[in-house]
Amino acid sequence: MTATHSLAAEELTLGYGERTVVEGLDLAVPPGRITAIVGANACGKSTLLRSMTRLLAPRAGRVLLDGKAVHRMPAKELARTLGLLPQSPIAPEGITAADLIGRGRNPHQGVFSRWKPEDDAAVAAALEATQTTELADRAVDELSGGQRQRVWIAMALAQQTDLLLLDEPTTFLDVSHQIEVLDLLTDLNRARGTTVVMVLHDLNLAARYADHLVAMAGGRVHASGTPAQVLTEECVRAVFGLDSRVIEDPTSGKPLMLPLGRHHTDAAGQRADAAAG
């Protein structure tokens, strides 16, 4: 198991230019668990993740790692503990998958240190875990969207941090690879105790894989807790403006959200109304 680290946001306010995106947000990440952040587009999910890895300075408030403000920590010190897979990362032109994954080892390199056997082992393990070994010698810009995403995830794994933040890690992946990536993150959490925080759009996958669920709306935390506490019909309506039915997932036992709409309504409810009439 890895060491336990605390990560929290206190009265955090974030924005771009004159636009405020997150305001007065408080959040404590449960150490050693998997946290999924969900919410409608432009609610501040990705902005929050960027600030938690000091890519975006707060207008007010602070992000604390083990009680220290991350924006005052040396970059390499932070990168040895906390890793980030951002949304839509850009690779240097012509770089191979293996070289990109190897850059995940940079925080562990000193100014004059050489590449070590443990660096090779970390890269090899990341390639194998993400099923990208056969892509190692190929240029990243020649890969498909799904292949590139798996290579970026491999780079984050090679960094071997105790906390791993991922912004929509299943983007560009088909259903089978989405499950593989989420299973991989679960394995990492269970085997090493890695704290995982990820932004996901799929509410049902978030509920299935997360120990802790955070629902954001309007730049604030609307609800947080276990998936059963957060993924409710009332919360889905408040956060997404969507009517739904939430039932128990027969596979995982977690809540399963069934969206309603103008063409796919609550048939069971209609039958009950008809019977009552």
Side-chain angles (χ1 to χ4, degrees):
M1 298 288 289
T2 61
T4 299
H5 297 276
S6 63
L7 181 64
E10 294 183 349
E11 289 293 320
L12 195 62
T13 297
L14 307 166
Y16 305 97
E18 297 181 355
R19 182 169 64 97
T20 297
V21 179
V22 171
E23 186 169 10
L25 182 143
D26 291 306
L27 175 67
V29 174
R33 311 301 293 274
I34 297 177
T35 295
I37 303 174
V38 300
N41 289 341
C43 73
K45 305 184 298 297
S46 297
T47 299
L48 172 61
L49 242 60
R50 294 189 69 222
S51 181
M52 295 182 88
T53 53
R54 73 176 244 166
L55 294 178
L56 179 65
R59 291 179 174 177
R62 55 185 182 166
V63 176
L64 299 175
L65 174 61
D66 297 334
K68 297 191 293 185
V70 299
H71 292 86
R72 297 180 180 177
M73 295 176 64
K76 273 204 169 183
E77 178 185 346
L78 179 65
R80 283 192 290 268
T81 303
L82 192 154
L84 170 69
L85 175 63
Q87 190 180 90
S88 303
I90 300 175
E93 185 176 355
I95 193 171
T96 65
D99 286 342
L100 181 64
I101 295 167
R103 293 194 176 195
R105 302 302 300 164
N106 287 350
H108 304 280
Q109 307 294 318
V111 178
F112 301 108
S113 64
R114 296 181 178 180
W115 191 263
K116 300 180 290 294
E118 51 262 41
D119 297 317
D120 284 321
V123 171
L127 284 163
E128 181 178 0
T130 54
Q131 299 183 8
T132 52
T133 303
E134 73 282 1
L135 305 176
D137 296 326
R138 293 181 58 185
V140 174
D141 50 17
E142 296 176 356
L143 303 178
S144 70
Q147 289 172 328
R148 283 197 300 271
Q149 187 71 352
R150 284 191 285 149
V151 167
W152 280 108
I153 292 171
M155 189 191 78
L157 295 183
Q159 195 172 335
Q160 292 186 328
T161 57
D162 292 338
L163 293 100
L164 184 58
L165 279 59
L166 307 102
D167 193 355
E168 299 184 31
T170 56
T171 297
F172 303 121
L173 301 180
D174 58 35
V175 174
S176 63
H177 282 119
Q178 288 181 37
I179 299 301
E180 286 176 8
V181 165
L182 295 173
D183 280 346
L184 169 63
L185 295 174
T186 301
D187 291 341
L188 188 67
N189 169 259
R190 292 178 178 176
R192 297 189 64 244
T194 303
T195 299
V196 176
V197 182
M198 54 185 175
V199 169
L200 289 178
H201 272 300
D202 190 313
L203 291 179
N204 291 327
L205 286 180
R208 176 177 286 194
Y209 281 92
D211 305 301
H212 186 74
L213 203 58
V214 177
M216 289 185 61
R220 297 177 181 271
V221 173
H222 177 81
S224 65
T226 66
Q229 292 171 328
V230 174
L231 188 52
T232 65
E233 294 172 9
E234 293 76 16
C235 185
V236 171
R237 187 178 301 111
V239 172
F240 294 95
L242 177 69
D243 288 329
S244 66
R245 293 293 175 265
V246 175
I247 63 174
E248 182 178 296
D249 184 337
T251 302
S252 66
K254 299 285 190 73
L256 178 69
M257 190 276 294
L258 306 175
L260 304 180
R262 291 187 298 108
H263 298 289
H264 298 87
T265 56
D266 189 353
Q270 289 178 348
R271 289 194 296 269
D273 290 341

